[in-house]
Amino acid sequence: EAAVTQSPRNKVAVTGGKVTLSCNQTNNHNNMYWYRQDTGHGLRLIHYSYGAGSTEKGDIPDGYKASRPSQENFSLILELATPSQTSVYFCASGEGTAGTQYFGPGTRLLVL
Amino acid sequence: GDQVEQSPSALSLHEGTGSALRCNFTTTMRAVQWFQQNSRGSLINLFYLASGTKENGRLKSTFNSKESYSTLHIRDAQLEDSGTYFCAAVSTGYQNFYFGKGTSLTVIP
């Protein structure tokens, strides 16, 4: 079974602070994704990556940056956190283009 | 508008009964994936389909790209089936998945 881990699992941040969410996968998948989940919206794609060194904007990228320093690691960065970014964030890795996605356990972020 | 429409939004089943969850698509999709989100919030893969039907235990899923829908059938529902079920689909000419808003399933003893 695919293995995707996220850290931290819970985070409280202050408005205007910098937040980094980390994701690690041991599946050797080229594709990785960051989503946020909010009540009434399902999951929405923030950023994704096709491999080390690449990042692409998803459907809701404003206020977020991403970094893919290696095949295994994909980070989501909130340079200036705002309360509207309070959410549950999921990382996923995927088999090829539009292939099966495997999700991490999620990170609960509260921005005060 | 939403590209993936899930129905019903909520469903209650008595143990041992069954039902179908449905996703309708507003554009042509080339693959669909179904997930269960359990009480701890984890997203569990159920099925990935590029066409046809797959079955696993008490669950069965069908994807009809031509008619723009996918279904997830649950039979002999158990308490542990409670949770929220999501479908996600990827359109032709695109590479990322669009998620539906989910069906919240409650299995009643």
Side-chain angles (χ1 to χ4, degrees):
Chain A
E1 183 69 30
V4 181
T5 56
Q6 294 181 230
S7 63
R9 294 294 312 280
N10 294 280
K11 173 76 177 178
V12 179
V14 296
T15 296
K18 182 176 180 179
V19 176
T20 300
L21 306 183
S22 299
C23 178
N24 178 275
Q25 56 107 354
T26 59
N27 311 313
N28 198 32
H29 289 158
N30 288 332
N31 294 357
M32 295 186 74
Y33 308 84
W34 276 107
Y35 295 89
R36 62 179 284 176
Q37 184 178 30
D38 303 289
T39 304
H41 285 282
L43 277 77
R44 292 180 291 173
L45 182 64
I46 306 170
H47 283 288
Y48 60 101
S49 168
Y50 293 127
S54 96
T55 60
E56 305 289 339
K57 294 181 179 179
D59 298 320
I60 54 164
D62 293 345
Y64 302 93
K65 290 184 180 179
S67 173
R68 181 87 181 271
S70 65
Q71 178 83 337
E72 297 79 20
N73 295 297
F74 191 35
S75 297
L76 186 68
I77 303 149
L78 291 66
E79 295 276 6
L80 295 169
T82 68
S84 65
Q85 294 175 313
T86 292
S87 188
V88 181
Y89 291 85
F90 285 96
C91 175
S93 73
E95 296 176 345
T97 301
T100 304
Q101 294 195 11
Y102 298 90
F103 281 82
T107 294
R108 290 187 176 275
L109 174 64
L110 173 62
V111 183
L112 299 173
Chain B
D2 292 344
Q3 305 217 15
V4 178
E5 298 167 347
Q6 275 191 255
S7 62
S9 57
L11 177 65
S12 293
L13 292 176
H14 286 280
E15 269 187 298
T17 65
S19 189
L21 285 57
R22 186 172 175 108
C23 281
N24 289 324
F25 310 123
T26 58
T27 188
T28 302
M29 299 296 185
R30 55 180 167 134
V32 65
Q33 193 169 359
W34 283 91
F35 301 88
Q36 180 200 25
Q37 187 165 38
N38 63 19
S39 58
R40 290 175 298 168
S42 297
L43 286 160
I44 301 164
N45 290 333
L46 298 176
F47 295 103
Y48 175 93
L49 300 100
S51 65
T53 299
K54 288 187 177 180
E55 192 164 355
N56 184 6
R58 298 178 291 101
L59 301 178
K60 182 171 74 173
S61 182
T62 296
F63 173 43
N64 189 320
S65 177
K66 194 174 286 187
E67 297 186 18
S68 296
Y69 75 90
S70 179
T71 57
L72 177 69
H73 291 261
I74 302 173
R75 63 176 175 83
D76 187 24
Q78 303 297 306
L79 296 178
E80 61 265 27
D81 295 333
S82 293
T84 302
Y85 290 78
F86 291 97
C87 71
V90 57
S91 62
T92 54
Y94 193 54
Q95 303 183 74
N96 298 318
F97 284 84
Y98 293 105
F99 277 75
K101 293 181 179 178
T103 294
S104 178
L105 173 65
T106 303
V107 180
I108 305 163

